[in-house]
Amino acid sequence: GPNGSGKSKVGEALRFVGAGDELKGQAVFRLEGGRVLVDRLRLLGRGSWEGGGYWSPEGSDLYLSLKDTVFTPVLQVVPPLKPYRPEGSGSLLLRLKGEGFQVEFKDFRFRLGPVAGYLPQGLLSLNGGARAEGELTLLAPFPGKARLGLEGRLEEFQISAKGVVTLPGLKEETPAEVAFRYPGYGVEIHLGEAQAQGTLFPLRLAGYGRLPLYYPRYYLQEGLLDVKSFFLYEEKGTYHLTGNAEVLRAKLALPEARAKELTQGGVDLE
């Protein structure tokens, strides 16, 4: 528009490429009286991205619909996420209105650094109150299942997950609770009697606690490890772990299958 009108319009052809996937299309934005208006957002490739509405510090009315698509090309150009080689796919519907927001997930798969998971169907909503629905399946670094929770307001909120995980080396399914806070990317983890806290971006985790162990392949039938302290951090794409621990208890024995083999072979273990 003419100078002094306080209006400007930007129309851009967009193209995102990452991990072998591509999204391309057009976005038309207007800046008007402190508002960012999205006249058009449409990207196509694997699935589709569509959106429209406006955003301002005083209030918003914005929607974004991502159907059967891949998020990887876009996620990989976000500077804080880039070192973690993020991946994502599925469907997502985002509504940002007034003081709140709502995100619906469907067949949503993600990977962020060593963490990967799947959300068949879920809902996160902050609009006066806070609500979260859905069951998260964790695939890496270890298997687990958890129910989602959410509390806070749009500018500052916490997402939590409570459930159980199956860790290699632990004797049984272990109760787990994870809380993620925004902004600041703070995270707190409780795993049985162990706990850790720190930040996700950048990754900095410190913790301590006791863990029951079970490694029959290495003759450990039962053990208890007291982790005095540990520190996990990421630097330039490499993960570092330091710490110290004490073995409080260890019961060694041959696995049952191996003991039977030796007995059948003429070795009496009794």
Side-chain angles (χ1 to χ4, degrees):
N3 290 338
S5 68
K7 299 180 181 181
S8 62
K9 188 171 183 175
V10 178
E12 275 196 55
L14 301 177
R15 182 171 178 261
F16 297 96
V17 180
D21 294 306
E22 181 181 81
L23 289 163
K24 60 182 179 180
Q26 191 181 47
V28 179
F29 301 96
R30 277 186 296 141
L31 302 176
E32 187 175 314
R35 283 184 172 186
V36 179
L37 292 96
V38 182
D39 287 339
R40 187 180 184 207
L41 172 62
R42 185 169 173 79
L43 298 175
L44 297 173
R46 263 185 63 185
S48 65
W49 291 44
E50 294 188 43
Y54 71 87
W55 177 88
S56 74
E58 290 75 34
S60 309
D61 189 352
L62 185 69
Y63 85 93
L64 183 61
S65 174
L66 297 78
K67 293 183 180 177
D68 301 323
T69 189
V70 61
F71 308 96
T72 304
V74 177
L75 292 173
Q76 290 190 349
V77 300
V78 180
L81 301 183
K82 203 169 182 179
Y84 304 96
R85 298 180 293 281
E87 298 176 16
S89 64
S91 295
L92 182 152
L93 178 62
L94 170 68
R95 298 180 190 276
L96 191 60
K97 195 164 187 174
E99 294 294 315
F101 82 95
Q102 180 172 298
V103 188
E104 295 177 35
F105 301 90
K106 189 173 182 182
D107 295 329
F108 188 76
R109 297 178 183 273
F110 65 90
R111 179 177 289 275
L112 191 63
V115 179
Y118 173 58
L119 190 63
Q121 196 159 350
L123 170 73
L124 296 176
S125 176
L126 270 174
N127 193 3
R131 187 159 60 110
E133 299 173 4
E135 185 175 87
L136 174 69
T137 297
L138 190 66
L139 304 173
F142 41 75
K145 284 186 180 293
R147 300 293 299 178
L148 293 174
L150 177 67
E151 61 184 45
R153 58 187 191 279
L154 185 58
E155 297 80 12
E156 188 176 329
F157 59 89
Q158 173 179 303
I159 298 174
S160 63
K162 296 181 182 180
V164 295
V165 295
T166 306
L167 277 164
L170 291 193
K171 188 160 181 63
E172 54 202 20
E173 282 192 335
T174 306
E177 184 174 343
V178 178
F180 170 73
R181 292 185 177 84
Y182 175 88
Y185 305 116
V187 65
E188 285 184 22
I189 301 170
H190 291 267
L191 183 65
E193 294 183 30
Q195 58 181 290
Q197 60 182 15
T199 60
L200 277 187
F201 310 111
L203 180 63
R204 300 284 186 272
L205 272 182
Y208 63 92
R210 295 184 174 192
L211 294 170
L213 302 181
Y214 177 64
Y215 253 116
R217 281 182 59 195
Y218 299 101
Y219 312 121
L220 179 62
Q221 295 298 313
E222 186 182 337
L224 184 62
L225 184 69
D226 185 11
V227 180
K228 302 295 186 184
S229 67
F230 80 87
F231 182 46
L232 172 67
Y233 65 99
E234 180 271 338
E235 192 173 47
K236 297 179 180 177
T238 303
Y239 297 91
H240 304 267
L241 176 64
T242 63
N244 65 82
E246 179 184 351
V247 177
L248 298 182
R249 186 172 69 248
K251 179 182 176 184
L252 302 178
L254 286 174
E256 283 185 23
R258 181 65 177 143
K260 284 180 182 177
E261 285 177 18
L262 290 174
T263 305
Q264 291 166 0
V267 179
D268 188 354
L269 297 176
E270 299 176 354

